[in-house]
Amino acid sequence: MDFKKFKASYSPWTFAVVDEFLNKKEILSLKKEILKFDSFDDKVMGNRSRINKGSRNFNKILQESKNIKSFYNKINSAKFYKKIYNLFEEKKLGWRPEADFFRYSKDFFGEQKFSFREIIIKNLASMKLIKSNMNLDIDFSVSEKGYYRAPHRDRDTRVLSFLLYLNDVKKDHGGSLEIHQIKENKKSQSSYPRFPKNSEITKKKNILAKAGRLVIFFSSPDSYHAAAKIKKEKIKRVFIYGSYSLNRKVYWKKRKNEHKLNSIK
């Protein structure tokens, strides 16, 4: 894992691109182990097959795939989270997460579907009736023709998220990560909808899927992003999504002059 080519951007919101995060051998081994696995948990967003943390398939792929297990064990820690966090210049963050946690849980995971269990845990942690914990939510995914993700921001429990691409996808074939900016900055965290209307945002940047490319971003209230639709047959976008998340809602503090820095002209 190599952060030498770490390049941070703080506008329109905080993200970074790290090229050659893994070497060619590591990329190929992870890609092969995901593609040869024959059982996925669900198919979402048009045509994205996922293996989600906490599922039987997830535990099985860790048992059968030594390289995936090794990668997972390396990133599943508070130490790795803090290492990524500290790569950014905190004074430049448009939004700073108030993400203090009592302990890091290697086993906890957020539910992919509606869950009373998760709601209860989140409410108890928010009321400080149970300790605030951090965990890694992660899935191994393969997206094909028809996959599309509309502009959105991630769940309110997420602090720092990442995408690790394991193969190249040409721009014309789709699958790029789109960075969007809200046209009208709002004062409070609660004023930002999770799924904005197209009229409320504008696309600022495309980040291509490239083998070994790691994209890291703060899941701030304005971190609107999307995935361009995959248009071509027989294209597979193989990637790993992960998020360092709390067992409660993350509260974000906005930098006072952020509305001036990010205003659209």
Side-chain angles (χ1 to χ4, degrees):
M1 298 180 185
D2 193 340
F3 288 98
K4 288 181 181 177
K5 294 193 175 182
F6 177 89
K7 186 176 180 181
S9 298
Y10 298 91
S11 179
W13 39 269
T14 303
F15 66 94
V17 176
V18 188
D19 283 328
E20 299 177 21
F21 175 65
L22 299 178
N23 62 43
K24 291 182 180 179
K25 183 178 179 181
E26 291 169 328
I27 295 164
L28 186 60
S29 63
L30 291 176
K31 177 186 172 183
K32 280 186 173 180
E33 288 174 0
I34 292 172
L35 288 175
K36 78 176 183 180
F37 196 75
D38 58 1
S39 299
F40 289 86
D41 295 321
D42 54 16
K43 185 171 285 191
V44 295
M45 305 167 198
N47 200 0
R48 172 181 172 183
S49 300
R50 299 187 302 187
I51 304 169
N52 302 310
K53 183 179 177 181
S55 72
R56 290 183 180 179
N57 288 323
F58 186 86
N59 294 330
K60 184 179 179 183
I61 200 172
L62 291 186
Q63 292 172 358
E64 295 180 357
S65 307
K66 64 178 183 178
N67 293 299
I68 289 177
K69 184 176 181 179
S70 175
F71 173 80
Y72 172 70
N73 287 338
K74 287 176 182 177
I75 67 173
N76 188 19
S77 69
K79 182 179 179 181
F80 194 82
Y81 159 73
K82 290 174 182 177
K83 180 177 182 177
I84 294 176
Y85 189 108
N86 291 330
L87 290 170
F88 293 91
E89 296 182 57
E90 189 152 0
K91 65 181 180 180
K92 292 184 178 181
L93 299 180
W95 293 83
R96 183 178 64 81
E98 295 180 350
D100 294 333
F101 54 95
F102 176 71
R103 71 181 182 91
Y104 184 92
S105 173
K106 292 189 175 184
D107 300 321
F108 187 79
F109 56 92
E111 303 285 352
Q112 291 297 331
K113 298 179 181 179
F114 179 83
S115 166
F116 282 113
R117 171 181 172 270
E118 188 173 23
I119 291 173
I120 291 169
I121 290 172
K122 185 162 57 173
N123 287 336
L124 291 175
S126 296
M127 292 186 289
K128 299 183 179 180
L129 296 176
I130 60 174
K131 301 291 187 181
S132 291
N133 294 338
M134 173 171 278
N135 67 278
L136 173 65
D137 282 332
I138 190 170
D139 65 64
F140 308 117
S141 291
V142 179
S143 297
E144 300 179 71
K145 184 179 179 181
Y147 165 69
Y148 167 73
R149 186 70 162 122
H152 67 286
R153 59 174 175 80
D154 287 348
R155 291 195 229 173
D156 59 10
T157 55
R158 293 177 177 170
V159 183
L160 196 60
S161 300
F162 64 84
L163 289 160
L164 175 59
Y165 299 110
L166 300 175
N167 66 315
D168 295 348
V169 180
K170 295 179 181 179
K171 183 178 180 180
D172 292 345
H173 295 169
S176 298
L177 175 66
E178 299 176 347
I179 303 296
H180 290 263
Q181 180 176 6
I182 194 161
K183 293 179 180 178
E184 181 181 351
N185 280 293
K186 304 175 188 298
K187 293 182 179 179
S188 66
Q189 173 180 346
S190 60
S191 300
Y192 289 83
R194 187 173 173 202
F195 300 97
K197 297 176 182 178
N198 288 334
S199 60
E200 295 179 302
I201 56 174
T202 185
K203 185 169 68 175
K204 302 297 288 185
K205 187 178 180 66
N206 281 319
I207 301 175
L208 295 180
K210 183 179 178 181
R213 171 171 284 174
L214 178 71
V215 181
I216 311 164
F217 60 94
F218 280 84
S219 290
S220 56
D222 61 344
S223 60
Y224 294 117
H225 56 285
K229 189 173 184 177
I230 295 180
K231 306 171 185 177
K232 191 174 177 62
E233 294 281 1
K234 298 182 181 180
I235 290 295
K236 292 181 185 291
R237 178 185 186 247
V238 187
F239 65 103
I240 299 171
Y241 170 81
S243 179
Y244 294 95
S245 304
L246 299 184
N247 62 346
R248 62 165 174 82
K249 181 178 180 179
V250 181
Y251 297 100
W252 296 84
K253 186 175 181 180
K254 191 175 186 180
R255 194 169 65 188
K256 290 182 180 179
N257 62 343
E258 176 64 11
H259 67 284
K260 296 179 182 178
L261 295 175
N262 280 353
S263 59
I264 298 176
K265 298 178 181 179

